[in-house]
Amino acid sequence: MNAISDLAFFSLLVKHGNLSAAARELGLTPPAVSTRLANLERRLGVRLLNRTTRRITVTHEGERYLAEGNRILADLEALERSIASGQAQPRGLLRLNATFGFGRAHIVPAVSDFSRAFPEVEVQMRLTDRPVNLLDEGFDVAVRFGDIPDARLTARKIASNRRLLCASPRYLQTAGEPRAPGDLSRHRCIVVRENDVAYGTWHLRSGQRVETVKVRGPLSSNDGESALQWALDGHGIVMRSEWETAAYLRSGRLRQVLSDWHTPPADIHALYPEQLNLPAKTVAFVDFLVQRFAGHVRPPGSDRDVW
């Protein structure tokens, strides 16, 4: 088995969540799937999955192999599509969805440049504060943060991103700095309700330790830019993406707190429906985004600032 085949096998295995379901799709027996997994782990020299008779869980090494592997598979798929559709001229209506904040700051200027490069593509962009259902609402591409919500969608990473806990030096001088996640419950936290996740509940992880903290404060909003402005004005601790906080952290207007603790994944992806032959307009736009944001992709294992 080659490395690309192993990546696809492991991705399928995690997607199904158990050996029997993966075996049925592959047309193999569960023991054959188990043997192939064991051979893969032996080749890599690490355990990728913890497994019982009923379910499997992904190890830390498995999560990294899966994340980088899916990126490689998506890039390979994009390359093959690009070659296959190389003679096609991108044209027609492209329906695009993105979030308000990142959309205004980065996707709007990207679309402007894309439109000049591909004048036969008409772009219809809709900015929303909540994710839309691409398949039900007929979008060609959506730019989204974090985990991929639908297995029927293909995701291509366009930029690295993390959500950081930040506060102004003025606030920290007055209230002190939290030393552990539990300290957040005693701080003024600025809460943002942007989707259907539990309101005011922050999930943090450091190594194998996981903490869930219920936070509160006198200010909350459904708009992230408003929350960030309140943090800059010294009203409390906020959780915001590094793409919008990096400049303030460099200038000293904000300081990161609990930097050893990590929030759920927040990398930025271009999502599009799974199709055998994607329209040339979709291929061209996704490739354009990948090239445009190439400087904002953090190398594996690196912690350097990309924003």
Side-chain angles (χ1 to χ4, degrees), residues 14-85:
V14 174
K15 175 182 174 182
H16 282 289
N18 64 71
L19 301 183
S20 298
R24 284 193 295 271
E25 179 159 337
L26 292 168
L28 302 172
T29 63
V33 171
S34 182
T35 298
R36 180 170 180 184
L37 175 61
N39 290 338
L40 172 59
E41 291 179 325
R42 188 178 303 111
R43 179 170 68 82
L44 296 177
V46 297
R47 177 176 285 275
L48 300 174
L49 296 175
N50 294 315
R51 44 211 182 263
T52 66
T53 55
R54 292 189 175 183
R55 63 190 299 267
I56 58 177
T57 57
V58 186
T59 65
H60 175 72
E61 291 78 9
E63 288 178 350
R64 182 180 175 189
Y65 184 67
L66 180 66
E68 293 301 318
N70 281 341
R71 180 187 60 78
I72 292 169
L73 291 173
D75 286 348
L76 178 61
E77 180 186 354
L79 172 62
E80 292 181 345
R81 282 199 311 269
S82 177
I83 293 173
S85 61

Side-chain angles (χ1 to χ4, degrees), residues 12 14 29 46 50 53 64 77 130 137 171 178 180 203 205 208 220 249 253-254 258 282 288 299 307:
L12 178 69
V14 174
T29 63
V46 297
N50 294 315
T53 55
R64 182 180 175 189
E77 180 186 354
R130 296 180 180 225
E137 301 193 38
Y171 172 80
H203 303 280
R205 180 173 183 171
Q208 298 301 312
S220 63
L249 290 168
R253 292 189 64 192
L254 287 177
L258 296 176
T282 303
F288 183 87
W307 288 99

Side-chain angles (χ1 to χ4, degrees), residues 90-102:
R91 58 168 54 91
L93 175 62
L94 179 80
R95 300 192 67 229
L96 168 66
N97 175 249
T99 58
F100 278 112
F102 190 78

